[in-house]
Amino acid sequence: MPFLSDTLARVKPSPTIAVSNLAADLKAQGKDVIGLGAGEPDFDTPQNIKDAAIAAIVAGKTKYTAVDGIPELKKAICAKFKRDNDLDYTPAQVTVGTGGKQILYNALMATLNPGDEVIIPAPYWVSYPDMVLLAGGTPVFVEGPSQNGYKITPEDLEAAITPNTKWFIFNSPSNPTGAGYTAAELKGLTDVLMRHPHVWVMTDDMYEHLVYDDYEFATPAQVEPRLYDRTLTCNGVSKAYAMTGWRIGYAAGPVELIKAMGKVQSQSTSNPCSVSQWAAVEALNGPQDYIATNNEMFKRRRDLVVSMLSEIEGMDCPVPEGAFYVYPSIAGLIGKTTAAGTLIDTDETFAKALLEETGVAVVFGGAFGLSPAFRISYATADETLREACTRIQRFCAALT
């Protein structure tokens, strides 16, 4: 009898974490490596948030809390949804987890049965399909090609829906592409969903506040209020508030679903870190002005990376509307050979050769379900990005 679960064989480790770990290992060996794999802001957590955490520790707020979040944080989350999205939720409709990933996982574990299908637009965040598989469901991928700005159309969504579809996972702005759907584009998708009342919407709004130029964020239940009763609106404090390590994610939706997610959490991790919850209260209720300041720096970095990569012959780099990623297509580089003699036959080969020959670590597009491409996180210093892009330019110029 095998020792490991058959379920575990259905999933693979996170490729983005693997790239970050490899870059860290190479650096530890003394090699000159620039890691552009991690989706993590390089800004420090704002001081008012850190102060709130320290105050919580001093006040002894270090005990177990309610399994799915303290009342104060749930109240702050309700206020945030009303303020930013014009969505009305009560604390009973809110759940708090150990990061956004746990929120999504809890929802899938609480709802999926064998044979249930989950529609996932590609490129997708690497964890979506594996969480669906762990929960016993079947991921169904719908490609949004680069020529369409990495977005799917209403027709694409309509064609993917079957009687077995239970969820549609929606992420905008997107990881890995940074693509953001306009309210009009989103309305086209919600119109499709209105014709299929058995399909629920799981919207991952983690990059809501990281948007640029004149792009305006919208979320499905805001665009189509009639979807409110079958939408789980997910978010967290990791990205906009530079709180990745604090591990606080949250969601709001129908009470029955929220209770079911709480049951899953009660038998897995129990409550999120108490101190992190108090820090998140301050993040949501406190000053928000630094978000715009940070966004200006992110926009400058985006423009730098897009400009430099767009100079490379055979590479197409769409301009993202949000998040802090670019996802250039390398279709024009497939079939070429590197200066060290490596044939670039896939984007995985490209990324491996790039790391070995230049010391730049990126994540290959196959990990996100759409090739040939790669993802760069530009959430790092300008001079580091400039050096990395210069190395990529030299690497590609040497291809024959």
Side-chain angles (χ1 to χ4, degrees), residues 314-338:
M315 187 177 294
D316 176 38
C317 188
V319 181
E321 288 85 4
F324 38 65
Y325 309 106
V326 294
Y327 197 75
S329 167
I330 58 166
L333 303 180
I334 297 298
K336 295 192 174 185
T337 302
T338 73

Side-chain angles (χ1 to χ4, degrees), residues 124-259:
Y124 47 72
W125 180 44
V126 295
S127 293
Y128 293 147
D130 288 293
M131 287 192 288
V132 170
L133 290 168
L134 275 173
T138 301
V140 175
F141 304 115
V142 180
E143 289 191 359
S146 60
Q147 59 265 31
N148 196 39
Y150 295 119
K151 303 174 190 178
I152 67 169
T153 66
E155 292 76 18
D156 296 329
L157 176 59
E158 183 81 58
I161 294 174
T162 74
N164 294 325
T165 305
K166 180 162 281 186
W167 286 102
F168 168 52
I169 295 182
F170 181 75
N171 176 217
S172 169
S174 159
N175 175 5
T177 67
Y181 288 73
T182 65
E185 290 170 332
L186 186 48
K187 184 61 166 63
L189 298 179
T190 60
D191 284 349
V192 172
L193 294 167
M194 288 304 302
R195 295 195 290 271
H196 300 276
H198 67 292
V199 181
W200 283 57
V201 186
M202 185 182 300
T203 176
D204 182 353
D205 296 345
M206 188 63 73
Y207 297 93
E208 167 186 6
H209 292 301
L210 302 180
V211 297
Y212 315 115
D213 304 320
D214 57 353
Y215 174 77
E216 294 185 6
F217 173 82
T219 194
Q222 177 185 17
V223 169
E224 178 48 82
R226 290 177 295 173
L227 282 176
Y228 176 89
D229 289 332
R230 52 187 171 107
T231 297
L232 182 69
T233 304
C234 308
N235 212 315
V237 298
S238 294
K239 312 299 183 179
Y241 301 99
M243 294 177 67
T244 49
W246 298 78
R247 309 310 301 138
I248 294 292
Y250 58 84
V255 172
E256 182 180 9
L257 172 60
I258 296 300
K259 286 182 177 179

Side-chain angles (χ1 to χ4, degrees), residues 282-297:
E282 173 60 24
L284 295 177
N285 287 343
Q288 308 287 305
D289 53 317
Y290 54 82
I291 294 177
T293 301
N294 290 350
N295 280 2
E296 283 301 313
M297 286 186 273

